[in-house]
Each structure stands twice: as C-alpha cells, then as structure tokens.
Coordinates of all heavy atoms in Angstrom, one line a residue:
D1 N -21.7 -33.4 -221.6 CA -21.4 -32.1 -221.4 C -21.2 -31.3 -222.7 O -20.9 -32.0 -223.8 CB -20.0 -32.0 -220.6 CG -20.1 -32.3 -219.2 OD1 -21.3 -32.2 -218.6 OD2 -19.1 -32.6 -218.5
V2 N -21.3 -30.1 -222.8 CA -21.0 -29.2 -224.0 C -19.6 -29.3 -224.2 O -19.2 -29.5 -225.4 CB -21.6 -27.8 -223.7 CG1 -21.2 -27.0 -224.9 CG2 -23.1 -27.8 -223.5
E3 N -18.7 -29.1 -223.2 CA -17.3 -29.1 -223.4 C -16.7 -30.5 -223.1 O -17.2 -31.2 -222.2 CB -16.6 -28.1 -222.5 CG -17.1 -26.7 -222.8 CD -16.7 -26.1 -224.1 OE1 -15.6 -26.6 -224.6 OE2 -17.4 -25.2 -224.6
K4 N -15.7 -30.9 -223.9 CA -15.1 -32.3 -223.7 C -14.0 -32.1 -222.7 O -12.8 -32.3 -223.0 CB -14.7 -32.8 -225.0 CG -15.7 -33.0 -226.0 CD -15.2 -33.5 -227.4 CE -16.4 -33.8 -228.3 NZ -15.9 -34.4 -229.6
N5 N -14.3 -31.9 -221.5 CA -13.3 -31.7 -220.4 C -12.8 -33.1 -219.9 O -13.6 -34.1 -219.7 CB -13.9 -30.9 -219.3 CG -14.1 -29.4 -219.7 OD1 -13.2 -28.8 -220.2 ND2 -15.3 -29.0 -219.5
G6 N -11.5 -33.1 -219.4 CA -11.0 -34.2 -218.7 C -11.0 -34.0 -217.3 O -12.0 -33.9 -216.7
D7 N -9.8 -33.8 -216.6 CA -9.8 -33.4 -215.2 C -10.1 -31.9 -215.0 O -9.6 -31.1 -215.7 CB -8.4 -33.8 -214.7 CG -8.1 -35.2 -214.6 OD1 -9.1 -36.0 -214.4 OD2 -7.0 -35.6 -214.6
L8 N -11.0 -31.7 -214.0 CA -11.3 -30.3 -213.6 C -11.2 -30.2 -212.1 O -11.7 -31.1 -211.4 CB -12.7 -30.0 -214.1 CG -12.9 -29.6 -215.6 CD1 -14.3 -29.2 -215.8 CD2 -12.0 -28.4 -216.0
P9 N -10.7 -29.1 -211.6 CA -10.8 -28.8 -210.2 C -12.2 -28.6 -209.8 O -13.1 -28.2 -210.6 CB -10.0 -27.5 -210.0 CG -9.1 -27.4 -211.2 CD -9.8 -28.1 -212.3
F10 N -12.5 -28.8 -208.5 CA -14.0 -28.7 -208.0 C -14.5 -27.4 -208.4 O -15.7 -27.4 -208.9 CB -13.9 -28.8 -206.5 CG -15.3 -28.8 -205.9 CD1 -16.0 -29.9 -205.6 CD2 -15.9 -27.6 -205.5 CE1 -17.3 -30.0 -205.0 CE2 -17.2 -27.6 -205.0 CZ -17.8 -28.8 -204.7
D11 N -13.9 -26.2 -208.3 CA -14.6 -25.0 -208.6 C -14.8 -24.8 -210.1 O -15.8 -24.3 -210.5 CB -13.7 -23.8 -208.1 CG -12.3 -23.8 -208.5 OD1 -11.9 -24.7 -209.3 OD2 -11.6 -22.8 -208.2
K12 N -14.0 -25.3 -210.9 CA -14.1 -25.2 -212.4 C -15.2 -26.2 -212.9 O -15.6 -26.0 -214.0 CB -12.8 -25.3 -213.2 CG -11.8 -24.1 -212.9 CD -10.6 -24.2 -213.7 CE -9.8 -22.9 -213.4 NZ -8.6 -22.8 -214.3
V13 N -15.4 -27.2 -212.2 CA -16.6 -28.1 -212.5 C -17.9 -27.3 -212.7 O -18.6 -27.5 -213.7 CB -16.8 -29.2 -211.4 CG1 -18.2 -29.9 -211.6 CG2 -15.7 -30.2 -211.5
F14 N -18.0 -26.3 -211.8 CA -19.2 -25.4 -211.9 C -19.0 -24.1 -212.7 O -19.8 -23.7 -213.4 CB -19.6 -25.1 -210.4 CG -19.9 -26.2 -209.6 CD1 -19.0 -26.7 -208.7 CD2 -21.2 -26.8 -209.7 CE1 -19.3 -27.8 -207.9 CE2 -21.5 -27.9 -209.0 CZ -20.6 -28.5 -208.0
A15 N -17.7 -23.7 -212.7 CA -17.4 -22.5 -213.6 C -17.7 -22.9 -215.1 O -18.2 -22.1 -215.9 CB -16.0 -22.0 -213.4
Y16 N -17.3 -24.2 -215.5 CA -17.5 -24.6 -216.9 C -18.7 -25.4 -217.0 O -19.0 -26.0 -218.1 CB -16.3 -25.4 -217.3 CG -14.9 -24.6 -217.3 CD1 -13.7 -25.4 -217.2 CD2 -14.9 -23.3 -217.3 CE1 -12.5 -24.6 -217.2 CE2 -13.7 -22.5 -217.3 CZ -12.5 -23.2 -217.2 OH -11.3 -22.6 -217.2
S17 N -19.4 -25.6 -215.9 CA -20.8 -26.2 -215.9 C -20.8 -27.7 -216.4 O -21.5 -28.0 -217.3 CB -21.8 -25.4 -216.7 OG -23.1 -25.6 -216.2
S18 N -19.9 -28.5 -215.8 CA -20.0 -29.9 -216.2 C -21.1 -30.7 -215.5 O -21.1 -30.8 -214.3 CB -18.7 -30.6 -215.7 OG -18.7 -31.9 -215.9
N19 N -22.0 -31.3 -216.3 CA -23.1 -32.0 -215.8 C -22.6 -33.4 -215.3 O -23.0 -33.9 -214.2 CB -24.1 -32.3 -217.0 CG -24.8 -31.1 -217.4 OD1 -25.0 -30.1 -216.6 ND2 -25.4 -31.1 -218.5
I20 N -21.6 -33.9 -216.0 CA -21.0 -35.2 -215.6 C -20.4 -35.2 -214.2 O -20.7 -36.0 -213.3 CB -20.0 -35.7 -216.6 CG1 -20.6 -36.0 -217.9 CG2 -19.2 -36.9 -216.1 CD1 -19.7 -36.2 -219.1
C21 N -19.5 -34.2 -213.9 CA -18.9 -34.1 -212.7 C -19.8 -33.7 -211.5 O -19.7 -34.0 -210.4 CB -17.7 -33.2 -212.7 SG -16.3 -33.9 -213.6
S22 N -20.9 -32.8 -211.9 CA -21.9 -32.5 -210.9 C -22.7 -33.7 -210.5 O -23.0 -33.9 -209.3 CB -22.9 -31.5 -211.5 OG -22.3 -30.3 -211.8
A23 N -22.9 -34.6 -211.4 CA -23.6 -35.8 -211.1 C -22.8 -36.7 -210.2 O -23.2 -37.3 -209.2 CB -23.9 -36.6 -212.4
K24 N -21.5 -36.7 -210.5 CA -20.5 -37.5 -209.6 C -20.5 -37.0 -208.2 O -20.4 -37.7 -207.3 CB -19.1 -37.5 -210.3 CG -19.0 -38.3 -211.5 CD -17.6 -38.4 -212.0 CE -17.4 -39.4 -213.2 NZ -16.0 -39.5 -213.6
I25 N -20.5 -35.7 -208.1 CA -20.5 -35.1 -206.7 C -21.7 -35.5 -206.0 O -21.6 -35.9 -204.8 CB -20.4 -33.5 -206.9 CG1 -18.9 -33.2 -207.4 CG2 -20.7 -32.9 -205.6 CD1 -18.8 -31.7 -207.8
A26 N -22.9 -35.4 -206.6 CA -24.1 -35.7 -205.9 C -24.2 -37.2 -205.5 O -24.7 -37.5 -204.4 CB -25.3 -35.4 -206.8
L27 N -23.6 -38.0 -206.4 CA -23.7 -39.5 -206.1 C -22.7 -39.8 -204.9 O -23.1 -40.7 -204.2 CB -23.3 -40.3 -207.3 CG -24.3 -40.3 -208.5 CD1 -23.7 -40.8 -209.9 CD2 -25.5 -41.1 -208.1
K28 N -21.7 -39.1 -204.9 CA -20.8 -39.3 -203.7 C -21.4 -38.8 -202.4 O -21.3 -39.5 -201.3 CB -19.4 -38.6 -203.8 CG -18.4 -39.0 -202.8 CD -17.1 -38.4 -203.0 CE -16.1 -38.8 -201.9 NZ -14.8 -38.2 -202.1
E29 N -22.2 -37.8 -202.5 CA -23.0 -37.3 -201.3 C -24.0 -38.3 -200.9 O -24.3 -38.5 -199.7 CB -23.7 -36.0 -201.6 CG -22.8 -34.8 -201.8 CD -23.7 -33.6 -202.1 OE1 -24.5 -33.2 -201.3 OE2 -23.5 -33.0 -203.2
D30 N -24.6 -38.9 -201.8 CA -25.8 -39.9 -201.7 C -27.0 -39.0 -201.4 O -27.0 -37.8 -201.1 CB -25.6 -40.9 -200.5 CG -26.4 -42.1 -200.7 OD1 -27.1 -42.2 -201.7 OD2 -26.3 -43.0 -199.8
K31 N -28.1 -39.7 -201.6 CA -29.4 -38.9 -201.6 C -29.8 -38.3 -200.3 O -30.4 -37.3 -200.2 CB -30.5 -39.8 -202.1 CG -30.9 -41.0 -201.2 CD -32.1 -41.7 -201.7 CE -32.6 -42.8 -200.8 NZ -33.7 -43.6 -201.3
E32 N -29.3 -38.9 -199.1 CA -29.6 -38.4 -197.8 C -29.1 -37.0 -197.7 O -29.8 -36.1 -197.2 CB -29.0 -39.3 -196.7 CG -29.4 -38.8 -195.3 CD -28.9 -39.9 -194.3 OE1 -28.3 -40.9 -194.7 OE2 -29.0 -39.5 -193.1
I33 N -27.8 -36.8 -198.0 CA -27.2 -35.4 -197.9 C -27.8 -34.5 -198.9 O -28.2 -33.3 -198.6 CB -25.7 -35.5 -197.9 CG1 -25.1 -36.2 -196.8 CG2 -25.1 -34.2 -198.1 CD1 -23.6 -36.5 -196.9
F34 N -27.9 -34.9 -200.2 CA -28.4 -34.1 -201.2 C -29.8 -33.6 -200.9 O -30.1 -32.4 -201.1 CB -28.3 -34.8 -202.6 CG -28.6 -33.9 -203.7 CD1 -27.6 -33.2 -204.3 CD2 -29.9 -33.8 -204.3 CE1 -27.9 -32.4 -205.4 CE2 -30.1 -33.0 -205.4 CZ -29.1 -32.3 -205.9
Y35 N -30.7 -34.5 -200.5 CA -32.0 -34.1 -200.2 C -32.2 -33.3 -199.0 O -33.1 -32.3 -198.9 CB -33.0 -35.4 -200.0 CG -33.7 -35.7 -201.3 CD1 -33.0 -36.2 -202.4 CD2 -35.1 -35.6 -201.5 CE1 -33.7 -36.5 -203.6 CE2 -35.7 -35.8 -202.6 CZ -35.0 -36.3 -203.7 OH -35.7 -36.6 -204.9
K36 N -31.3 -33.5 -198.0 CA -31.3 -32.6 -196.8 C -31.1 -31.1 -197.2 O -31.8 -30.3 -196.7 CB -30.2 -33.0 -195.9 CG -29.9 -32.1 -194.7 CD -28.7 -32.4 -193.9 CE -28.4 -31.4 -192.9 NZ -27.1 -31.7 -192.1
Y37 N -30.2 -30.9 -198.1 CA -29.9 -29.5 -198.5 C -31.0 -29.0 -199.6 O -31.3 -27.9 -199.6 CB -28.5 -29.3 -199.1 CG -27.5 -29.4 -198.0 CD1 -26.9 -30.6 -197.5 CD2 -27.2 -28.2 -197.3 CE1 -26.0 -30.6 -196.5 CE2 -26.3 -28.2 -196.3 CZ -25.7 -29.4 -195.8 OH -24.8 -29.4 -194.8
L38 N -31.5 -30.0 -200.4 CA -32.5 -29.6 -201.4 C -33.7 -29.1 -200.6 O -34.3 -28.0 -201.0 CB -32.8 -30.8 -202.2 CG -34.0 -30.7 -203.2 CD1 -33.7 -31.7 -204.4 CD2 -35.4 -30.9 -202.7
W39 N -34.1 -29.7 -199.6 CA -35.2 -29.3 -198.8 C -34.9 -28.0 -198.0 O -35.7 -27.1 -197.8 CB -35.7 -30.4 -197.8 CG -36.4 -31.5 -198.5 CD1 -37.2 -31.5 -199.6 CD2 -36.3 -32.9 -198.2 NE1 -37.6 -32.7 -199.9 CE2 -37.1 -33.6 -199.1 CE3 -35.6 -33.7 -197.2 CZ2 -37.2 -35.1 -199.0 CZ3 -35.8 -35.0 -197.1 CH2 -36.5 -35.7 -198.0
A40 N -33.7 -27.9 -197.5 CA -33.2 -26.8 -196.7 C -33.3 -25.5 -197.5 O -33.7 -24.4 -197.0 CB -31.9 -26.9 -196.2
F41 N -32.9 -25.6 -198.8 CA -33.0 -24.5 -199.7 C -34.4 -24.1 -200.2 O -34.7 -23.3 -200.9 CB -32.2 -24.7 -201.0 CG -30.7 -24.4 -200.8 CD1 -29.8 -25.3 -200.5 CD2 -30.3 -23.0 -200.9 CE1 -28.4 -24.9 -200.3 CE2 -29.0 -22.6 -200.8 CZ -28.0 -23.6 -200.5
G42 N -35.4 -25.0 -199.8 CA -36.8 -24.7 -200.0 C -37.4 -25.2 -201.2 O -38.6 -24.8 -201.5
F43 N -36.8 -26.1 -201.9 CA -37.4 -26.7 -203.1 C -38.4 -27.8 -202.7 O -38.3 -28.5 -201.7 CB -36.3 -27.3 -204.0 CG -35.4 -26.2 -204.6 CD1 -34.1 -26.0 -204.1 CD2 -35.9 -25.5 -205.7 CE1 -33.4 -25.0 -204.7 CE2 -35.1 -24.5 -206.2 CZ -33.8 -24.2 -205.7
G44 N -39.4 -27.9 -203.6 CA -40.6 -28.8 -203.3 C -41.6 -28.3 -202.3 O -42.5 -29.0 -202.0

C-alpha cells in the first residue's frame, strides 16, 4: 500500500485505497462470489 495503515474500518479501506485489505476482502468472498459480481458488472 502507499500508506502504512494498521486497522481500518471497511469504508476507509476504500477511502484510503488499501490494496492489502481489498485483497483480504476478495479472498474472504472467494472466487465464486467475486466472479459472480465481476460478470454481473459486465467485465470480460
């Protein structure tokens, strides 16, 4: 990440654009959920 953040609330993960916590969120969803929405949003 650009910033050396420790704990961040969910909304500030995106407000401060943490790649690390975004990755953790997607990993918890797992690929089935993530791809369901990736396709729903029209990517690919």
Side-chain angles (χ1 to χ4, degrees):
D1 283 343
V2 174
E3 303 292 335
K4 297 179 180 179
N5 293 306
D7 290 331
L8 282 180
F10 184 90
D11 56 357
K12 291 190 177 181
V13 165
F14 299 101
Y16 300 159
S17 207
S18 169
N19 293 338
I20 293 168
C21 286
S22 296
K24 288 184 175 183
I25 290 170
L27 289 166
K28 186 173 182 181
E29 292 179 62
D30 203 359
K31 68 177 184 179
E32 182 178 356
I33 292 174
F34 190 85
Y35 264 68
K36 172 188 173 183
Y37 286 90
L38 179 152
W39 288 325
F41 273 99
F43 290 103

